[in-house]
Amino acid sequence: MSNNKLAKLLTDTLPSGRRRLFNPWRDRCADDVPSNGPNAKLARLAAHLDCNPKFILCGEAPSYRGCRHSGIAFTSEHLLLEEGKIPRMSPVSDRLTIKKGPYKEGSATTVWKELYRLGIQERTVLWNALQMHPHELGKPKSNRTPTPEEFEIGKPALQMLVKEFPSAIVVAVGRKAERSLKKMGIPYKPVRHPAYGGGPKFAQQLELLVRGAPRRTAVEQTA
């Protein structure tokens, strides 16, 4: 399946217009410049999916500093603009948002740093158990934990992605992602989330996984 078709099919599973959930590929954000609308984010997602991944890193949900504006999980405006390290897409020269400075996200920076250090940046897809940004009512610049019902919204897209790349190892980034993947019955390997001081542990666990990564042949989950 082409990456453009896959991106469209994945995002078509998600609703729009929810009061506490923002869909980056269908809803418009007041902080985005006019050119950074749903179509621009969908194009970046399609470029990101244009690979034969060995790993799918799956987090909990997008944040208001990252995927909400970039259209790619664990990826911030700062990374797209200033560091130029996001593979498989054309360099972004113009701002994505009207904020004084580009949005940065610590977890996104750590994730991409480790992907490059381990040499897997070209064969990794970044995703979330819930692909829409969960925020407090009336506070788009906030993050909150998705409800179990909201995680169900993300299930069809995640299952579709895993089916499209059956040889990829799914990596659950953090306990909340673990619980969601386990409930969905998706095989995974767990690593620490890089937030709240978890960067070193995340790096260590991801390296151990990558250096000794076997083919994914059975469900490997944590209790």
Side-chain angles (χ1 to χ4, degrees), residues 1 8-9 13 17 28 34 42 51 87 89 106 123 202 214:
M1 185 185 303
K8 186 70 164 55
L9 287 174
T13 66
R28 283 195 168 271
L42 185 62
C51 69
M89 65 183 66
R123 299 210 50 198
F202 166 80

mmCIF file of all heavy atoms in Angstrom, residues 1 8-9 13 17 28 34 42 51 87 89 106 123 202 214:
data_model
loop_
_atom_site.group_PDB
_atom_site.id
_atom_site.type_symbol
_atom_site.label_atom_id
_atom_site.label_comp_id
_atom_site.label_asym_id
_atom_site.label_seq_id
_atom_site.Cartn_x
_atom_site.Cartn_y
_atom_site.Cartn_z
ATOM 1 N N MET A 1 0.839 -1.191 0.000
ATOM 2 C CA MET A 1 0.000 0.000 0.000
ATOM 3 C C MET A 1 0.885 1.257 0.000
ATOM 4 O O MET A 1 1.897 1.304 0.690
ATOM 5 C CB MET A 1 -0.882 0.015 1.254
ATOM 6 C CG MET A 1 -1.888 1.147 1.297
ATOM 7 S SD MET A 1 -2.807 1.220 2.871
ATOM 8 C CE MET A 1 -3.531 -0.407 2.940
ATOM 9 N N LYS A 8 -3.941 8.245 4.786
ATOM 10 C CA LYS A 8 -5.353 8.635 4.680
ATOM 11 C C LYS A 8 -6.262 7.608 5.363
ATOM 12 O O LYS A 8 -7.188 7.980 6.107
ATOM 13 C CB LYS A 8 -5.730 8.767 3.205
ATOM 14 C CG LYS A 8 -7.134 9.298 2.949
ATOM 15 C CD LYS A 8 -7.254 10.761 3.330
ATOM 16 C CE LYS A 8 -8.498 11.409 2.742
ATOM 17 N NZ LYS A 8 -9.756 10.722 3.077
ATOM 18 N N LEU A 9 -6.004 6.334 5.146
ATOM 19 C CA LEU A 9 -6.835 5.295 5.755
ATOM 20 C C LEU A 9 -6.724 5.325 7.282
ATOM 21 O O LEU A 9 -7.720 5.171 7.991
ATOM 22 C CB LEU A 9 -6.426 3.921 5.228
ATOM 23 C CG LEU A 9 -6.834 3.588 3.791
ATOM 24 C CD1 LEU A 9 -6.223 2.264 3.358
ATOM 25 C CD2 LEU A 9 -8.350 3.542 3.648
ATOM 26 N N THR A 13 -9.990 6.881 10.252
ATOM 27 C CA THR A 13 -10.639 6.150 11.343
ATOM 28 C C THR A 13 -10.956 7.057 12.527
ATOM 29 O O THR A 13 -11.688 6.646 13.441
ATOM 30 C CB THR A 13 -9.743 5.005 11.852
ATOM 31 O OG1 THR A 13 -8.567 5.550 12.473
ATOM 32 C CG2 THR A 13 -9.336 4.072 10.723
ATOM 33 N N GLY A 17 -13.904 17.298 15.553
ATOM 34 C CA GLY A 17 -14.874 18.146 16.226
ATOM 35 C C GLY A 17 -15.187 17.759 17.659
ATOM 36 O O GLY A 17 -16.166 18.249 18.225
ATOM 37 N N ARG A 28 -8.574 22.177 12.788
ATOM 38 C CA ARG A 28 -7.627 23.288 12.668
ATOM 39 C C ARG A 28 -7.322 23.864 14.047
ATOM 40 O O ARG A 28 -8.227 24.029 14.867
ATOM 41 C CB ARG A 28 -8.180 24.389 11.760
ATOM 42 C CG ARG A 28 -8.073 24.040 10.287
ATOM 43 C CD ARG A 28 -8.267 25.262 9.401
ATOM 44 N NE ARG A 28 -7.896 24.968 8.030
ATOM 45 C CZ ARG A 28 -6.668 25.108 7.535
ATOM 46 N NH1 ARG A 28 -5.694 25.557 8.310
ATOM 47 N NH2 ARG A 28 -6.430 24.826 6.271
ATOM 48 N N PRO A 34 -1.718 29.519 8.740
ATOM 49 C CA PRO A 34 -2.690 28.989 7.772
ATOM 50 C C PRO A 34 -2.169 27.832 6.927
ATOM 51 O O PRO A 34 -2.922 26.915 6.583
ATOM 52 C CB PRO A 34 -3.010 30.215 6.911
ATOM 53 C CG PRO A 34 -2.807 31.377 7.835
ATOM 54 C CD PRO A 34 -1.631 30.995 8.681
ATOM 55 N N LEU A 42 -1.022 15.855 7.212
ATOM 56 C CA LEU A 42 -1.234 14.552 6.598
ATOM 57 C C LEU A 42 -0.092 14.221 5.641
ATOM 58 O O LEU A 42 0.360 13.071 5.576
ATOM 59 C CB LEU A 42 -2.569 14.533 5.849
ATOM 60 C CG LEU A 42 -2.977 13.189 5.242
ATOM 61 C CD1 LEU A 42 -3.162 12.134 6.328
ATOM 62 C CD2 LEU A 42 -4.260 13.343 4.427
ATOM 63 N N CYS A 51 8.456 3.950 4.587
ATOM 64 C CA CYS A 51 9.607 3.118 4.925
ATOM 65 C C CYS A 51 9.140 1.703 5.194
ATOM 66 O O CYS A 51 7.938 1.424 5.231
ATOM 67 C CB CYS A 51 10.348 3.681 6.145
ATOM 68 S SG CYS A 51 9.431 3.546 7.694
ATOM 69 N N PRO A 87 13.859 12.330 9.093
ATOM 70 C CA PRO A 87 14.083 11.766 7.757
ATOM 71 C C PRO A 87 12.801 11.606 6.955
ATOM 72 O O PRO A 87 11.704 11.731 7.469
ATOM 73 C CB PRO A 87 14.701 10.387 8.068
ATOM 74 C CG PRO A 87 14.165 10.031 9.408
ATOM 75 C CD PRO A 87 14.013 11.328 10.154
ATOM 76 N N MET A 89 11.385 13.362 4.668
ATOM 77 C CA MET A 89 10.526 14.488 4.305
ATOM 78 C C MET A 89 11.379 15.700 3.957
ATOM 79 O O MET A 89 12.519 15.823 4.386
ATOM 80 C CB MET A 89 9.542 14.834 5.417
ATOM 81 C CG MET A 89 10.137 15.337 6.700
ATOM 82 S SD MET A 89 8.852 15.608 7.943
ATOM 83 C CE MET A 89 8.285 13.933 8.209
ATOM 84 N N GLY A 106 10.431 17.841 25.157
ATOM 85 C CA GLY A 106 11.584 17.106 25.642
ATOM 86 C C GLY A 106 11.589 15.648 25.241
ATOM 87 O O GLY A 106 12.619 15.104 24.822
ATOM 88 N N ARG A 123 14.270 3.372 9.912
ATOM 89 C CA ARG A 123 13.449 2.169 9.936
ATOM 90 C C ARG A 123 12.567 2.119 11.179
ATOM 91 O O ARG A 123 12.290 1.060 11.729
ATOM 92 C CB ARG A 123 14.337 0.922 9.857
ATOM 93 C CG ARG A 123 15.162 0.876 8.578
ATOM 94 C CD ARG A 123 15.458 -0.514 8.117
ATOM 95 N NE ARG A 123 14.295 -1.382 8.057
ATOM 96 C CZ ARG A 123 14.404 -2.710 8.016
ATOM 97 N NH1 ARG A 123 15.586 -3.284 8.027
ATOM 98 N NH2 ARG A 123 13.319 -3.460 7.967
ATOM 99 N N PHE A 202 15.102 5.047 29.327
ATOM 100 C CA PHE A 202 14.554 4.843 27.991
ATOM 101 C C PHE A 202 15.664 4.484 27.012
ATOM 102 O O PHE A 202 15.550 3.522 26.240
ATOM 103 C CB PHE A 202 13.827 6.101 27.521
ATOM 104 C CG PHE A 202 13.518 6.133 26.046
ATOM 105 C CD1 PHE A 202 12.423 5.449 25.537
ATOM 106 C CD2 PHE A 202 14.326 6.845 25.165
ATOM 107 C CE1 PHE A 202 12.131 5.469 24.174
ATOM 108 C CE2 PHE A 202 14.044 6.870 23.804
ATOM 109 C CZ PHE A 202 12.946 6.179 23.307
ATOM 110 N N PRO A 214 15.005 -9.729 18.298
ATOM 111 C CA PRO A 214 14.687 -10.904 17.487
ATOM 112 C C PRO A 214 13.492 -10.594 16.595
ATOM 113 O O PRO A 214 12.882 -9.539 16.707
ATOM 114 C CB PRO A 214 14.306 -11.951 18.539
ATOM 115 C CG PRO A 214 13.663 -11.123 19.612
ATOM 116 C CD PRO A 214 14.373 -9.781 19.610
#
